[in-house]
Amino acid sequence: MLLKTFGWSFAVTAGGLALAGVLWGWKGLAIVGILSILEISLSFDNAVINAGILRKMNAFWQKIFLTVGILIAVFGMRLVFPVVIVAITAKLGPLEAVDLAINDKEKYEHLVTAAHPSIASFGGMFLLMIFLDFVFEDRDIKWLAWLEKPLSKLGKLDTFSIAVALGVLLITATTVATDVAHGGGDKSSTVLLAGVAGLLTYLIVGGISGYFEDKLEEDEDDDEADAADEGGAEEKAAAAKNGGGKPTVVGLAGKAAFFMFLYLEVIDASFSFDGVIGAFAVTNDIFEMALGLGIGAMYIRSLTVFLVRRGTLDDYVYLEHGAHYAIGALALILLATIKYEINEVITGSVGVLLIAASYWSSVVRNRREAEAEGSGKQTEVSSGV
């Protein structure tokens, strides 16, 4: 199973490193390798979040995530996106922006870095909403119960997460955005506009995917009820044969999966922002950057599918909690980087530590449940049951 899931990642790694060695020598090989590790360390929590969504999708859409999705991630976000940002911020044509990225790498790096406030604000707000909607939801399983219980009560207030997010955005715009490290000057209006755009994107894409997911679950419940009623099942089959009746579950699953796929891609884009900006600390060559970050992105996708197929999130129930806390930390870090320089090692370490802590808590929980179950069986035997 390991080879089946990670086979393409291994192949892309071997091919990518070989290509880097041929084109740029040992130095290029080292740069691509470093960027790959950087991307994996920064996006491990992304894999856990993706797995929580991807396990709701069928095998077809999981394949789409690994094929079309990886093309969008590598060529779209790691290669095309920075060029588009330069074209927009510098008011250049697409060809001019590409020429600048290839022939004037220092200016290209400067322009991409100058666009960081808007990028960080958009991505930070999108990720912050994912975190807030998670911690404000009342869940049966709680990791940090002392924190999650009171937060779930606050979450009963409609649009509370939106109010908190807008409050964070307002504070960011009036504090750290007034004198930014990237580009200089007051970027309050830019940060506000980009942050609101990130919030709206979350509400639209997440709302649509959530609607179709709920609709799918409702229809599945209806189908189960109809299956229990033989007459109802026969009428439904006749209606389907005549082209009547309500849409089938398969059609609804397709719509739900499509919008979930879009949601996944926006999440990946938000996670990739810090990786793209951080990559400039290693190289300003767009092709080295795309190759290195692309290899890392491939592993994140393979890891996502691996977690789904192994049922890891069901076995280690606190992993999703740890990943969402890591997302919350990343969102705040992204907003803070509008003014302050924060090393990527710190960003990646926070996520890894939170996920590691949630994994260990899950292991401890599983051991306690196993011991409790074993004690229960011994009690039954001793009592003669």
Side-chain angles (χ1 to χ4, degrees), residues 35-355:
L35 288 175
S36 302
I37 297 173
L38 172 68
E39 178 70 8
I40 295 172
S41 65
L42 289 174
S43 302
F44 187 81
D45 45 355
N46 189 9
V48 179
I49 296 299
N50 286 352
I53 301 172
L54 195 65
R55 63 178 173 174
K56 303 175 184 178
M57 301 162 70
N58 59 28
F60 170 77
W61 281 99
Q62 289 181 12
K63 291 179 180 179
I64 292 294
F65 178 72
L66 273 178
T67 52
V68 177
I70 194 63
L71 292 176
I72 296 174
V74 176
F75 296 103
M77 292 309 305
R78 274 73 178 181
L79 183 62
V80 178
F81 172 74
V83 177
V84 171
I85 289 295
V86 168
I88 294 174
T89 56
K91 298 180 180 179
L92 300 174
L95 295 180
E96 292 177 290
V98 172
D99 180 70
L100 184 68
I102 297 174
N103 298 317
D104 195 347
K105 298 175 183 178
E106 291 184 2
K107 186 176 180 180
Y108 169 77
E109 177 182 350
H110 172 74
L111 291 173
V112 173
T113 306
H116 178 71
S118 57
I119 296 173
S121 182
F122 180 95
M125 290 303 296
F126 188 91
L127 295 177
L128 183 62
M129 281 300 300
I130 294 175
F131 167 71
L132 292 175
D133 276 350
F134 181 85
V135 295
F136 286 142
E137 183 179 346
D138 189 11
R139 299 177 178 276
D140 294 332
I141 298 176
K142 294 178 175 62
W143 181 31
L144 306 177
W146 58 271
L147 177 62
E148 293 170 12
K149 283 184 178 180
L151 289 179
S152 65
K153 293 180 180 179
L154 291 174
K156 293 180 181 179
L157 300 174
D158 291 339
T159 68
F160 188 72
S161 59
I162 298 175
V164 173
L166 287 174
V168 172
L169 177 61
L170 183 61
I171 293 172
T172 301
T174 56
T175 55
V176 297
T178 56
D179 184 19
V180 305
H182 305 279
D186 188 347
K187 298 289 185 179
S188 298
S189 59
T190 300
V191 168
L192 272 175
L193 183 62
V196 170
L199 178 60
L200 287 175
T201 302
Y202 172 83
L203 293 175
I204 293 171
V205 179
I208 293 174
S209 63
Y211 166 78
F212 280 110
E213 182 183 358
D214 292 341
K215 192 76 169 72
L216 175 62
E217 291 177 355
E218 290 176 5
D219 278 17
E220 285 178 341
D221 292 339
D222 291 342
D223 284 348
E224 291 177 359
D226 289 343
D229 184 350
E230 184 177 353
E234 291 176 355
E235 291 178 3
K236 184 177 179 182
K241 183 177 180 180
N242 295 325
K246 65 184 177 180
T248 63
V249 173
V250 175
L252 289 171
K255 294 176 184 178
F258 173 73
F259 283 103
M260 282 184 187
F261 174 74
L262 293 183
Y263 183 55
L264 278 173
E265 291 307 311
V266 178
I267 291 177
D268 180 76
S270 300
F271 271 96
S272 69
F273 291 153
D274 60 330
V276 172
I277 298 298
F280 281 106
V282 182
T283 181
N284 56 12
D285 188 302
I286 62 170
F287 298 111
E288 290 180 343
M289 194 181 301
L291 186 57
L293 297 179
I295 291 174
M298 189 70 188
Y299 276 96
I300 294 302
R301 270 161 168 66
S302 295
L303 180 59
T304 298
V305 175
F306 179 78
L307 292 174
V308 172
R309 292 175 178 172
R310 287 291 299 269
T312 305
L313 299 184
D314 295 325
D315 296 335
Y316 303 95
V317 295
Y318 297 139
L319 270 181
E320 280 192 274
H321 294 73
H324 279 89
Y325 281 110
I327 281 183
L330 176 59
L332 296 178
I333 289 173
L334 270 175
L335 295 175
T337 57
I338 292 173
K339 182 175 183 178
Y340 303 104
E341 296 283 351
I342 300 179
N343 193 285
E344 289 74 24
V345 174
I346 297 176
T347 305
S349 299
V350 169
V352 171
L353 288 175
L354 285 169
I355 291 176

Side-chain angles (χ1 to χ4, degrees), residues 7-19 29 32 36 295-296 298-299:
W8 278 107
S9 296
F10 295 151
V12 169
T13 301
L17 292 177
L19 181 62
L29 179 64
V32 170
S36 302
I295 291 174
M298 189 70 188
Y299 276 96

